[in-house]
Amino acid sequence: MSQTSDQMELREAEITAHYPIALALLQGFDHAPRIGKGAAVATAEKSSGIGTRRRFRTTTPGLVTRRTTPAGAVQVMATIEGADADDALMSPVQATVLNVLRRSISIALAVAENYASVSGLGDLKRANLEGALPAARKTEFAELLAAEALITLYVFANATSYLLSSHQSEVTVEVGEVEEVLTDNGQTALHGALWELDQDIATHAPDDAHLVAAVTAYAEALMEKVALRAANAPRLAPFTTASWRVEADDFTVQGFSPAHKAKSTTLTMTFKKPHEVVGNHIAKYQALRLSKMLMAYDFERRLNPFAELGGFIFTFMGDGKPGTGKTTLIQMMAGLLNDYCQVAGYPFRYQNLSTDNIDSYQGKSGQNAKAFINNVLDPAAIGFGTIDDIDQLAGKRGDRQSSAGQLEITAVLMESFAGANTVVRGNCTFGMFSNYPENVDDALRQRAGARFLVDGPQTRDDYIDILYLLMGKNHDIPVGAHEVFSAQEIKQAVSASFASHSRPHEAGLLDVFDRVQSDIGDLDTIAKLGAYLKAIQEADERFTGRAIKNITDAVKVRAMDFELPDEWMENPELFLFKDYDAKAAMIGELRVPITTEMVVQEINRYADSEFRYADKSDEVAIDQMVRDFGRQEEAKKRYLEGKG
């Protein structure tokens, strides 16, 4: 086995050597289920353990040549061949599924063989066969066999899901929880898995689309079940600390982490051009820059120069009143990324986490949120994940109105956005959007590294532009004395917007700012800026160290206060296709110096948002208490009137 960077190559000869065993397993074997409940399923007549050909189907009406197959007879090949009872020939999809299963079993057996060699399990197996296994090592032997079983099952399921991903359709199948997970050894484990897969195919696969969906659903459910078991299982270090590369399939085994095909999302949304986002100058500017930042990601190094140099926005919060343009901003950014990726030939993945992902089953909401995160994080694609109306989706801890599902989503998002295992590669970004950010859990909201105030049209020119835009062209009304969209010129508008934050906007923060300036003068040193931050913390105890980190990150973004040239996006050879070091050097040349004005503006911008949220949150709480007191008084009045 040769070493290639941090991965080991799983040679093709090692895989194909297991083809005969894999084929025999698919053709037939006996299995008496221990945990799963076998269903008597009407299938083509089988003879247990004997490979069968596709049988002749009679065309005589009313003549049925089918029987109930015993639960212990497992013939996955025959079950797949008989999935479409109206066709006497095997379909291309059925052949593909069988080939995928054979290859996945073979890959799993090859990885398990490597594990046995590295962990010492192979030596113990030989000693056991010879009757020379020391009694003192029997526990170790049993633990290694259980580890081998878990590894075999996970790699089999992972490879199956991966290799079938390009054949999936819109059809989905719910196979339920996997039950027959056996950990005696790798061979027994595969028997249990294939027995249950055989049951699911017979139950859920009347045609090709459902066949692929059923096999994929089972593989994903098996991965999930095995990964949970593996979390507390011993002897797995030789597997979890190594990785194996199957070059022919572009497939990598990395512990109990699922592999994903780098495929793009098919987007059906209506994209918006930047000039169609009226107002929202800073939010629009940051979204434009972030879109181009993402495109600097280096797929070979799996890192973005912006993430290393500083200034990359991994998470952001977009807040504003209803109807101010949050959806339009999402449509603009998704459209830009989609277009850039099409030019470069990169896979682009957009996904939205919505209230549909809240489930009444315990743990399911968290699983949905984790699947959303993992799909966007996939380092083999450019990702953009949005969480619209996050105040409704993620529960606020301590709020009795928050459901268990909402709290599960909150926990997953907090751990994913700034947890101990969070790795920011720079290939994706997450946007949280809300009309009522004050209702978002404080700790979750502070995990948003940047704030996009989506305040909609503000000026007279903005309102003329949005009216012109929404009226369309099916009219003869003259525009009048106005140059359409000139007010939406990004550079001029953004410069004015940033300058406006030289002084705070919120009354509470403005009092703090004026008091500090009157005491120590202009905020032109690190010490004075630190004193201002401490004064803000004394006024709002929620202004913690995480807030300071978010502010310094925003300042670093300002140091990258430039847009990558449009021609770099239009002609990939100029930038996108260059190596990582060349990209980093080109970006470094464009950086601008950090000034005290930038720092003051970013402190005010961030603190303004926190004061705005706190004021709204307090007012909402007070209004709620007033309504509660009013209801209590009215109830008491009616109660006394009733008694009288």
Side-chain angles (χ1 to χ4, degrees):
M1 178 160 293
S2 62
Q3 187 82 20
T4 57
S5 67
D6 62 339
Q7 295 176 342
M8 292 181 285
E9 179 192 354
L10 197 62
R11 295 195 185 100
E12 193 65 18
E14 296 178 76
I15 298 170
T16 55
H18 293 95
Y19 273 9
I21 298 174
L23 180 60
L25 286 171
L26 292 173
Q27 286 176 331
F29 60 90
D30 279 331
H31 177 74
R34 298 191 214 162
I35 306 169
K37 297 176 177 61
V41 181
T43 57
E45 184 172 343
K46 303 177 184 179
S47 175
S48 172
I50 301 174
T52 59
R53 296 181 181 178
R54 196 171 185 84
R55 65 178 178 79
F56 171 76
R57 288 196 177 93
T58 179
T59 56
T60 306
L63 181 58
V64 179
T65 57
R66 296 167 74 82
R67 70 176 178 83
T68 299
T69 302
V74 183
Q75 290 184 20
V76 177
M77 182 180 291
T79 304
I80 289 175
E81 289 178 347
D84 53 346
D86 295 331
D87 193 343
L89 293 176
M90 183 187 294
S91 72
V93 171
Q94 291 171 344
T96 296
V97 171
L98 283 170
N99 275 288
V100 164
L101 290 174
R102 182 182 68 167
R103 186 151 181 89
S104 298
I105 293 170
S106 301
I107 291 172
L109 291 173
V111 172
E113 194 173 75
N114 275 262
Y115 167 79
S117 175
V118 173
S119 65
L121 175 59
D123 295 334
L124 293 179
K125 281 183 177 180
R126 284 187 290 274
N128 186 58
L129 284 173
E130 296 166 0
L133 180 67
R137 303 195 68 181
K138 285 186 177 179
T139 300
E140 177 190 355
F141 183 45
E143 289 177 347
L144 286 168
L145 286 174
E148 178 196 49
L150 292 173
I151 291 165
T152 303
L153 288 175
Y154 194 87
V155 175
F156 162 65
N158 196 3
T160 299
S161 176
Y162 180 86
L163 295 174
L164 277 181
S165 62
S166 59
H167 300 278
Q168 291 178 37
S169 64
E170 299 294 325
V171 174
T172 58
V173 167
E174 185 66 48
V175 297
E177 184 181 0
V178 173
E179 297 176 339
E180 194 75 355
V181 177
L182 307 179
T183 56
D184 303 47
N185 54 63
Q187 188 83 358
T188 304
L190 281 175
H191 281 189
L194 291 173
W195 170 84
E196 191 160 4
L197 176 60
D198 186 63
Q199 300 276 314
D200 287 336
I201 293 171
T203 305
H204 300 290
D207 53 43
D208 285 352
H210 284 85
L211 172 63
V212 173
V215 175
T216 302
Y218 173 76
E220 291 175 352
L222 179 59
M223 276 195 288
E224 185 179 326
K225 185 72 171 273
V226 172
L228 287 173
R229 287 275 191 95
N232 299 312
R235 311 283 180 181
L236 288 169
F239 174 68
T240 56
T241 58
S243 64
W244 287 266
R245 174 78 176 167
V246 182
E247 195 64 37
D249 301 315
D250 192 23
F251 172 61
T252 302
V253 178
Q254 290 184 310
F256 294 95
S257 299
H260 296 286
K261 279 278 190 185
K263 57 179 182 177
S264 298
T265 306
T266 302
L267 296 179
T268 56
M269 70 168 64
T270 303
F271 297 141
K272 299 293 185 183
K273 299 297 183 185
H275 73 269
E276 295 178 298
V277 180
V278 177
N280 299 323
H281 301 300
I282 291 181
K284 180 165 66 173
Y285 179 58
Q286 288 182 312
L288 279 166
R289 289 176 51 217
L290 180 54
S291 300
K292 291 183 177 179
M293 279 184 181
L294 284 165
M295 296 305 297
Y297 177 70
D298 188 89
F299 283 88
E300 185 174 340
R301 186 78 66 91
R302 295 204 164 189
L303 185 64
N304 193 318
F306 282 104
E308 189 173 44
L309 296 171
F312 181 77
I313 300 172
F314 180 56
T315 53
F316 62 91
M317 170 76 78
D319 73 279
K321 296 176 182 177
T324 50
K326 290 183 292 298
T327 302
T328 307
L329 196 69
I330 293 171
Q331 291 170 326
M332 181 200 81
M333 188 167 169
L336 287 171
L337 285 169
N338 184 70
D339 292 346
Y340 293 157
C341 286
Q342 283 189 350
V343 170
Y346 294 165
F348 170 54
R349 194 168 293 163
Y350 168 78
Q351 194 162 346
N352 180 59
L353 188 68
S354 67
T355 51
D356 292 340
N357 295 104
I358 300 175
D359 201 287
S360 57
Y361 288 99
Q362 184 175 0
K364 186 63 176 175
S365 300
Q367 291 175 11
N368 291 341
K370 195 64 181 175
F372 158 76
I373 294 289
N374 289 337
N375 200 32
V376 177
L377 282 176
D378 182 5
I382 301 296
F384 179 31
T386 56
I387 310 162
D388 211 356
D389 294 323
I390 189 171
D391 53 286
Q392 297 180 34
L393 190 66
K396 195 171 186 178
R397 292 169 300 171
D399 185 351
R400 288 174 293 179
Q401 304 299 318
S402 296
S403 69
Q406 290 174 310
L407 293 175
E408 286 173 17
I409 289 175
T410 298
V412 169
L413 295 181
M414 287 177 59
E415 189 274 334
S416 301
F417 291 162
N421 297 320
T422 302
V423 178
V424 178
R425 297 181 181 276
N427 68 303
C428 65
T429 187
F430 293 90
M432 299 176 275
F433 295 86
S434 176
N435 296 326
Y436 306 101
E438 67 276 4
N439 293 336
V440 178
D441 188 274
D442 289 341
L444 176 56
R445 189 177 66 240
Q446 288 176 5
R447 277 163 167 73
R451 305 297 169 91
F452 291 10
L453 175 59
V454 187
D455 52 3
Q458 297 291 310
T459 66
R460 170 182 174 275
D461 288 339
D462 286 344
Y463 276 89
I464 296 173
D465 284 341
I466 196 169
L467 177 62
Y468 173 85
L469 180 67
L470 297 178
M471 283 286 289
K473 297 182 178 180
N474 193 25
H475 63 83
D476 297 323
I477 303 173
V479 174
H482 175 75
E483 186 177 345
V484 176
F485 299 133
S486 62
Q488 309 312 317
E489 289 293 330
I490 289 287
K491 292 288 185 185
Q492 180 180 350
V494 166
S495 178
S497 295
F498 277 131
S500 73
H501 288 283
S502 295
R503 286 178 60 78
H505 293 178
E506 297 296 314
L509 183 61
L510 188 58
D511 290 341
V512 176
F513 181 82
D514 288 338
R515 186 178 73 252
V516 170
Q517 273 210 325
S518 66
D519 290 343
I520 62 176
D522 291 338
L523 306 178
D524 53 7
T525 67
I526 293 289
K528 291 180 178 180
L529 290 166
Y532 179 36
L533 290 170
K534 174 58 180 173
I536 296 173
Q537 186 271 331
E538 290 172 349
D540 183 355
E541 62 182 13
R542 289 172 291 192
F543 198 79
T544 62
R546 187 177 294 279
I548 312 305
K549 180 184 184 304
N550 290 339
I551 289 168
T552 55
D553 285 346
V555 171
K556 292 173 186 175
V557 171
R558 291 286 297 278
M560 300 287 186
D561 197 6
F562 56 82
E563 240 190 295
L564 297 180
D566 287 335
E567 53 267 27
W568 288 9
M569 301 296 115
E570 294 164 1
N571 184 356
E573 300 290 343
L574 296 177
F575 176 75
L576 300 181
F577 291 171
K578 291 188 179 295
D579 61 56
Y580 180 87
D581 294 330
K583 289 178 185 175
M586 294 171 73
I587 291 168
E589 291 176 0
L590 296 174
R591 276 195 293 190
V592 298
I594 294 174
T595 65
T596 54
E597 288 79 9
M598 281 185 194
V599 180
V600 170
Q601 289 169 5
E602 291 308 319
I603 291 174
N604 288 338
R605 224 160 58 83
Y606 188 93
D608 266 335
S609 67
E610 284 298 308
F611 272 69
R612 185 169 65 251
Y613 302 154
D615 291 346
K616 285 183 180 179
S617 183
D618 291 344
E619 284 301 318
V620 168
I622 292 169
D623 289 344
Q624 183 65 43
M625 291 180 70
V626 168
R627 284 195 295 271
D628 288 343
F629 289 148
R631 286 196 291 265
Q632 289 177 13
E633 287 298 318
E634 181 63 25
K636 184 177 180 180
K637 178 182 174 183
R638 293 186 189 182
Y639 174 75
L640 293 174
E641 288 175 352
K643 287 193 71 174

